[in-house]
Structures are given as structure tokens and as C-alpha cells.
Amino acid sequence: MLARAILSVVAQTVPVEEVVVVDDGSTDDTPAVVEALAREHGAVKLIRQAESRGAPAARNRGAEESRGDLIALLDSDDVWKPEKIERQSQLLARHPSSPAAFCGIEFIYTDRPTRVIRTPPLVTREDLFARNVLGGSSSALVRRDAWMRVGGFEPDMPSCQDWDFWLRLARLGPLVAVPAPLVEYHFDAGERISHDRNLVEAGHQRIFRMIERDAPPDRRRLLRAQHAARLAEIYAGQCYDPLRTVGKAIEAIATGRSLDASLRAGRAVASMMLHSLSRLRSSGARSRDC
């Protein structure tokens, strides 16, 4: 996966000045893979950290070690489309007051059809209050001066590090995006932070508290409903919990008169029920096999 990611950077339609690979305390053959690619592609540079400090700290280290005026991010299990950097850098040139550019995302699964998310072309900080409409870090192209002004990623965020970073960047100006999917977000990897229930819950609760504190008083009730709907979605999927799915769905519907939150809560419950039925069928099939 790491070679796949790096080669997608090397294959950009405009040359990428440098590819800084931060090895965050790996115990596999990561250094050998990167060094082999570095011999073939001079832009590739390996930074090794003896002990794992987590993804936010690794991304900040990569930014510190880089020299360009624009900093792009790519997780090792994701892939850039060839025209990503060209289209985003052109967009930033047309919007000099924007601190960062984003793009749409393709979610590629091993067991179900690909899902495409088209990012809104212009996102304000308030647009990020209800949910992270910009997606993960692999879609971002950030101006160096903006990165340094807001301090990069927050190292102690248990999850939602990207959402937190986008909220702070958006204080500097609106965030622009190429709606087309220029990043492939692959689910053929092992564990992701987003699958650790404790980290997912802690990160979302921290983000929700910050947003509700910053939001206008007349909008806080609506946001609480939308945040409850987001947790219902999480409990229906990545942190499967039927009881909490239903509980958060009820909270989303009861907290505020939000059609969006109610619809999302309803879809989360329906998704959870389908998930539960699938698990029951799978369990029944295994029992019959025995």
C-alpha cells in the first residue's frame, strides 16, 4: 500500500517537488520500501521516528521537514488521482485568500460498491459545524503560511484530527475545493483510528463541545441534534452498537426540529437494522456449516 501511495504522488501531472515519508515507528519493511523508491525517484525522502507518536505528530513532522509553499497530505493506504495537485494548485491561485484546497473522494471497499463524495466548492467555518464535509487529510492541499499560523494538527486529539484542523484553518478564510473525486480512500488496510470506538467517541465529543461553544446561541440546539445524528451514523457502522444507534437517533429527532438530523438518524437506524440482519444471517450460515 505504501508503494502504491508514493507512486501516485510521483505520477502527478505536475511535478511534486518532494515526497516526505514519515515512518512513525514502524516494525515492518517500511524503510526498505521507501529507500528503494528513493533510489528510483529522487524526490522521495525518508524521515524515521524511533517510536510511534501518532498520525497528527507524524504529519506535523513531515510539514516541518518539507520546503514547499504548499503542503499536501497522503495517508499510506490512500491514493491520489494523477491530476489532483495540478487542479488544486490552480484553484488556490484563483483564490489567494483561501488557506487550503480540498477535493472529492472515492471510498473504495473490498466487499461493496465504490461510494463517491463530491465536496462543496466553497466551505466556511460555519459549514463545518454540523459535520466534516471536507473528509480526511489525504484530500488537503494547505498553504504553508496558513499551516504554521494555526499550528498544524493537534497531537492530543484522540480522533477527528482532520475536522479539528479544518475548523482552525477556516478561521483564516473560506476553504475551496474541486468537487470531483481526486483521492481514493481505500479500505483494504488494517486498523484505522476510525475503528477504535473509544478514540472515535472521545474525539467527536471534544469536537462537539468546541463547536457548540463557538456557535451562535440560537443554533446550538440544532447542532446538538445534528451531532446526535452523526453519532447514530457511527454506531450504525464503524462502531456497531444497535442500542446506542437507536438512542442517538431518538436524541437527534427529539433535540431539535431538524429535518436533516431526523433523516440522517432514520437512515442510521435502517442501516443498523440491515447490518444486524446481515450478521444474523452470517451467524446462521456458520452454525449450519458446523
Side-chain angles (χ1 to χ4, degrees), residues 7 17-18 34 50 60 93 101 110 119 128 133 149 160 181 188 216 219 224 246-247 251 280:
L7 291 173
E17 180 181 338
E18 55 186 348
V34 178
N60 289 341
T110 57
T119 305
L128 288 162
V133 298
R149 284 175 65 185
C160 301
D188 55 1
R219 200 180 165 195
R224 281 194 290 272
V246 173
E251 182 182 337
L280 284 171

Side-chain angles (χ1 to χ4, degrees), residues 53-106:
R53 296 164 53 197
R59 292 171 184 141
N60 289 341
R61 175 76 185 278
E64 292 164 4
E65 297 284 349
S66 67
R67 301 183 301 272
D69 293 332
L70 300 175
I71 300 171
L73 297 153
L74 179 60
D75 288 350
S76 60
D77 41 10
D78 299 333
V79 173
W80 288 348
K81 298 292 183 65
E83 68 275 19
K84 177 186 185 290
I85 297 301
E86 180 177 13
R87 294 184 65 177
Q88 287 184 308
S89 57
Q90 290 172 347
L91 187 61
L92 283 178
R94 296 196 299 270
H95 296 272
S97 63
S98 181
F102 296 80
C103 65
I105 302 171
E106 282 185 356

Side-chain angles (χ1 to χ4, degrees), residues 197-198 201 231-249 268-269 271-273 275-276 279:
R197 176 170 175 158
N198 292 331
E201 290 176 339
L231 286 174
E233 292 169 340
I234 289 169
Y235 291 132
Q238 68 197 66
C239 297
Y240 177 70
D241 187 324
L243 289 178
R244 291 199 179 193
T245 302
V246 173
K248 284 299 174 181
V269 172
S271 173
M272 177 273 296
M273 293 176 69
H275 191 174
S276 298
R279 289 164 67 103

Side-chain angles (χ1 to χ4, degrees), residues 171-186:
R171 290 185 186 275
L172 306 181
L175 307 172
V176 294
V178 179
L182 302 178
V183 168
E184 297 175 1
Y185 192 95
H186 286 261

